[in-house]
Every structure is written in structure tokens, then in C-alpha cells.
Amino acid sequence: MLLWILLLLLILVVFGIGFTMQTLWWVAAVLLVVWIVGFTRHGRGGGRRRSGRR
């Protein structure tokens, strides 16, 4: 009986790690897209602002 409980706990831990890793990949992908969009907007906007001030 103890062996079954340990096996069930091991399965739950492995499933939890797998689910967490997949979730972290999705979060990383979303943050990458947000960073790229922000970088391109800031880069273009910053260039215009600098040339307008000079």
C-alpha cells in the first residue's frame, strides 16, 4: 500500500513539473512578444523625439 502511495505521489510531482514547465514556456513566449513590440515602438518613437528636440 505504501508503494502505491509513493508511486501516486511521484506521478503527481512529475505531472506538476510538466504542467509548470509548459506554463512557463507560454509565459516566456508572451513576454517575448510584449518585449519585441515595446522595443520596436520605443525605438521608433525615441528616434522621432530626439530628432524633434535638436
Side-chain angles (χ1 to χ4, degrees), residues 37-52:
V37 169
F39 181 75
T40 55
R41 282 189 174 184
H42 179 68
R44 292 179 186 168
R48 283 188 222 136
R49 284 186 218 134
R50 288 183 196 141
S51 62

Side-chain angles (χ1 to χ4, degrees), residues 1 3 8 10 13 15-16 20 23-24 26-27 32-33 35-36 38 40-41 44 46-48 50-53:
M1 184 68 178
L3 183 62
L8 180 62
L10 181 65
V13 167
F15 175 76
T20 302
T23 304
L24 289 176
W26 280 107
V27 170
L32 178 65
V33 169
W35 179 76
I36 289 173
T40 55
R41 282 189 174 184
R44 292 179 186 168
R48 283 188 222 136
R50 288 183 196 141
S51 62
R53 289 181 182 172

